[in-house]
Amino acid sequence: MKLAALGEVMVELAPQASVQGQVGGDKPLLAQSYAGDTYNTAVYIARGGVQVSYVTLLGDDPYSEEVLTRLAGESIDTSAIARLPGRCPGLYMIQNTPDGERYFTYWRGQAPARELFADADRREALKAHLRTQDCLYLSGITLAIMSAEARAELLAFLKEYRAAGGRVSFDSNYRPRLWGSAEAAREAVAEFLQQTDMALLTFEDEQALWGDERAGECAKRNSDFGVSELVIKRGAEPVLLQYEGELTAIDVPPVSSVVDTTGAGDSFNAGYLAARLQGASPEASIAAGNRCAARVIGHRGAIIPRADFLATQQVQDCTSGAQVVTMV
């Protein structure tokens, strides 16, 4: 199976340690890496044994060159990545609270990825590439950074792609600051969910976007949209799976050490998709997603060392902790 992920990769600055004895108190050391929601998921899916292509736009600067090098190092196909002269990726900085919760500051207004699907010539070449993939993965952030016209082109393509047998996976990943209004975000996300086969949603995002009070509201809405496979992530609370007419709760094993929750949802999505694309059941895929996320949040930054990650990638048909629940 082959999957293409569409979105943005940015330069990441993450706190690592403190330098003692400087004026003004402890100074955090910042480690530079690269990350972005669909990029994170693409890396971890590739580590899980699936053929992955990443689709974005980069510049002609050294940081863009390093992104391509890192993608190649993960055996991710970069042939669909175009480069725009004189441009460079966006940047973000992570701040963590003592319990590992994260907050971000972004500098991404001129990032080339914002022009994804906008240029007619690049778009036709990209469509040809995407037609060779079995599954596409994108997020609400992918949509938010695109122009309305580019989103319309992508939506029309997804309809054609699914009609030809392709599958679409989507995470709403709602970030209010990227949208002109919540109404605009709801309209766009609803359109794309109606072209989604597998929705991997975070309930906190759904509450912020739609005002849901209960997970059952989220499940019903996505069923009405036609989503056939729905996963609702709820932090440490059981993950909800709506599949083949049943809503199932699957326990999240406790995590002993939470260092940085950056990339938790992205890595869960990766574990889930890698398992599903290799034939695992949805229940087993949720267990795989939980294992991936647990490993990632025990490290700083969105992309953890390869050796630390691979131990989580065995796909097992493990359904312990699953129970049928009624819609609430």
Side-chain angles (χ1 to χ4, degrees):
M1 298 292 288
K2 296 190 293 183
L3 175 142
L6 295 78
E8 178 183 23
V9 55
M10 293 175 286
V11 179
E12 175 193 83
L13 296 178
Q16 295 298 299
S18 297
V19 178
Q20 302 289 335
Q22 296 190 13
V23 176
D26 294 347
K27 302 293 184 181
L29 293 176
L30 297 175
Q32 180 198 310
S33 189
Y34 300 89
D37 66 335
T38 61
Y39 171 87
N40 304 338
T41 300
V43 168
Y44 293 134
I45 292 175
R47 291 180 182 181
V50 174
Q51 294 183 56
V52 176
S53 169
Y54 195 66
V55 176
T56 191
L57 293 172
L58 292 171
D60 57 358
D61 61 294
Y63 298 105
S64 295
E65 191 66 39
E66 177 64 16
V67 168
L68 293 173
T69 298
R70 293 197 178 203
L71 285 167
E74 299 287 352
S75 299
I76 293 175
D77 179 10
T78 62
S79 63
I81 297 178
R83 304 182 69 175
L84 304 186
R87 305 285 286 279
C88 61
L91 178 147
Y92 78 101
M93 184 179 295
I94 302 172
Q95 293 177 295
N96 292 117
T97 59
D99 63 357
E101 189 53 70
R102 76 278 191 254
Y103 298 91
F104 304 122
T105 303
Y106 294 96
W107 296 264
R108 73 199 308 179
Q110 300 300 314
R114 299 182 74 92
E115 298 179 27
L116 190 63
F117 245 74
D119 178 84
D121 291 338
R122 288 197 300 264
R123 185 168 59 238
E124 291 309 310
L126 180 54
K127 287 179 181 179
H129 175 79
L130 295 178
R131 290 187 186 103
T132 69
Q133 307 296 303
D134 300 295
C135 182
L136 306 183
Y137 174 71
L138 62 154
S139 76
I141 293 178
T142 310
L143 305 183
I145 65 173
M146 300 170 68
S147 68
E149 295 78 10
R151 282 199 301 270
E153 291 284 351
L154 176 57
L155 183 66
F157 171 76
L158 293 185
K159 294 177 182 179
E160 169 202 321
Y161 173 80
R162 294 179 74 226
R167 304 183 72 194
V168 174
S169 51
F170 180 75
D171 182 347
S172 61
N173 224 352
Y174 177 52
R175 299 295 181 266
R177 287 180 295 180
L178 293 178
W179 293 95
S181 68
E183 181 180 2
R186 285 192 293 268
E187 181 179 351
V189 168
E191 288 180 326
F192 278 81
L193 281 167
Q194 291 172 61
Q195 298 303 321
T196 292
D197 300 285
M198 294 180 285
L200 308 172
L201 310 179
T202 298
F203 187 52
E204 184 178 356
D205 290 344
E206 297 301 288
Q207 288 179 302
L209 180 57
W210 300 97
D212 295 342
E213 294 184 1
R214 296 178 296 275
E217 297 173 74
C218 176
K220 183 180 186 305
R221 180 177 57 254
N222 283 276
S223 178
D224 291 344
F225 285 149
V227 175
S228 60
E229 188 170 328
L230 171 67
V231 175
I232 305 175
K233 298 163 283 182
R234 303 188 297 166
E237 296 298 313
V239 177
L240 298 182
L241 168 69
Q242 184 165 272
Y243 184 66
E244 294 185 339
E246 288 189 341
L247 187 64
T248 306
I250 300 176
D251 291 338
V252 177
V255 179
S256 59
S257 177
V258 178
V259 175
D260 181 1
T261 59
T262 303
D266 304 333
S267 55
F268 174 94
N269 292 354
Y272 185 89
L273 289 170
R276 283 296 278 150
L277 293 174
Q278 294 177 93
S281 69
E283 294 84 359
S285 300
I286 286 175
N290 284 333
R291 290 194 298 272
C292 292
R295 180 68 68 177
V296 169
I297 64 178
H299 295 75
R300 292 197 181 277
I303 303 296
I304 70 173
R306 184 180 180 87
D308 292 333
F309 181 81
L310 291 180
T312 69
Q313 291 307 295
Q314 291 182 340
V315 177
Q316 302 173 352
D317 188 13
C318 173
T319 59
S320 61
Q323 56 180 338
V324 176
V325 297
T326 57
M327 192 174 293
V328 294

